[in-house]
Amino acid sequence: MSAEQSGEAENPPIRRLTDWDTGRLRELASEHGTPLYVTDPERVAENCARLRAAFPDADVKYAVKAHTGRAVLETVREAGLDAECASAGEVRRALDAGFSGDRVDYTAVNPPARDLDAVVDWWGDHPDLTVTVGARDTLDRLAERGYDGRVCVRVNPGVGAGHHEKVRTGAAPKFGVPYDRAADVVADAREQFDVVGLHAHAGSGIHGEEDLAAHRDLVARMGELAREIGDDDIEFVDVGGGFGVPYREDDPALDIRAVADATREALGDVAATLAVEPGRYVVADAGVLLTEVNTVKPTPEVTVAGVDAGMTDLLRPAMYDAYHAIRNLDREPGADASADTGPVTVAGPICETGDTFCDGRELPIPERGDLLAVGNAGAYGYEMASTYNSRPRPAEVRLASDVLRARETLAGVTRLEHGGRDE
């Protein structure tokens, strides 16, 4: 076996749900209760290393919105990735996790006044942070606040891709200045700001050939624009991230090296540094959601497995019709239980028809008390959790057992109604 093959064996391109240790997951559920997010920062570090190997000459920035937990952010920082932040809150969390200002980009999308106020205030202590703007209006609002620092101009290249229409950003008018006006916006911005880069993003969950073709098209357009405005006058061309992971058990893993090669080729000859900003790819397979079956209801068509997790804990299936692999940890080969299979609907406790993790999927027929694991929950899992139906948010623990985020209580949910104040 070659050294490269050995490295791939030690750091496979995807961790499937079946790769998680059943005994360890059971121990964590028993110790901490359910619903429970389990996160493995060591896997985060492995994913960062694979990205850096694929893009050795690029600036790899982690899209913080995928998972903002302190342990994840510190792991990403230590692995050498920078931080791309979609809100002032994410900027603050990145700085608190030890990122220096020169490693933080704030991608402002229709930013609220309080966000701009906060970021400009922090800029005083971190003058090397970068603000990415997608509208002339945002440039004006920054100038009004006395900001004259580093700016990156976000461009709408008219090319979108991704796993669902709601996350295809590259052609949506909400994102970026129109491509044919970008050069003028850059020229005007240079009169007041230090314009250091260009930015575009096709969408989230880019995985199939059609999506990858759209990504290459976007990159090529950004290379053309960089050369038009003077690529030796900017530091970087950021072509976004959105690199997908295989959510279905039989889907192949993304060949990230091939994507990197195609990205460099599509960008063409530019003096500026290539930048990418993956999020999902870094953390998706580093997390699982554990949930316990509390109600089993046979029906003529399916067995309904009622569980204690719901769309308030993992929103993606309800919001995007997203597929997540599911394991019944108590009804697998070798488990002390039967493993008869049939169509199973895994449904949460929320009073919404959409509150299901799967509908009629062929799974082991569950019994009350069985422990289920939901895979690829590390990206946009806890981050999109809510307190709808006054349900406290779940706990998150490290695979090595220590608590990363405590389980929320009902008192925590209602504290602002009783005189509680934010820090």
Side-chain angles (χ1 to χ4, degrees), residues 85 87-96 104-106 119 122 129:
C85 305
S87 70
E90 290 180 7
V91 171
R92 186 69 261 166
R93 297 186 80 154
L95 294 173
D96 289 347
V104 175
D105 282 12
Y106 167 43
V119 171
W122 301 329
L129 68 77

Side-chain angles (χ1 to χ4, degrees), residues 16-18 37 163 245-251 280 283-285 287-289 291 310 313-328 344 346 356-359 361-363 372-382 384:
R16 308 281 181 178
L17 182 55
T18 52
Y37 274 100
H163 69 83
V245 299
Y247 282 89
R248 295 180 181 271
E249 294 90 338
D250 55 355
D251 282 348
R280 183 187 315 272
V283 291
D285 71 350
V288 297
L289 174 64
T291 182
D313 305 294
L314 179 62
L315 182 61
R316 296 188 72 254
M319 186 168 184
Y320 303 125
D321 295 321
Y323 182 101
H324 284 262
I326 297 175
R327 285 174 60 191
N328 186 325
V344 175
V346 178
T356 58
F357 294 125
C358 70
D359 292 304
R361 190 181 302 179
E362 193 71 15
L363 292 172
L372 306 186
V374 183
N376 273 350
Y380 308 103
Y382 191 99
M384 299 179 79

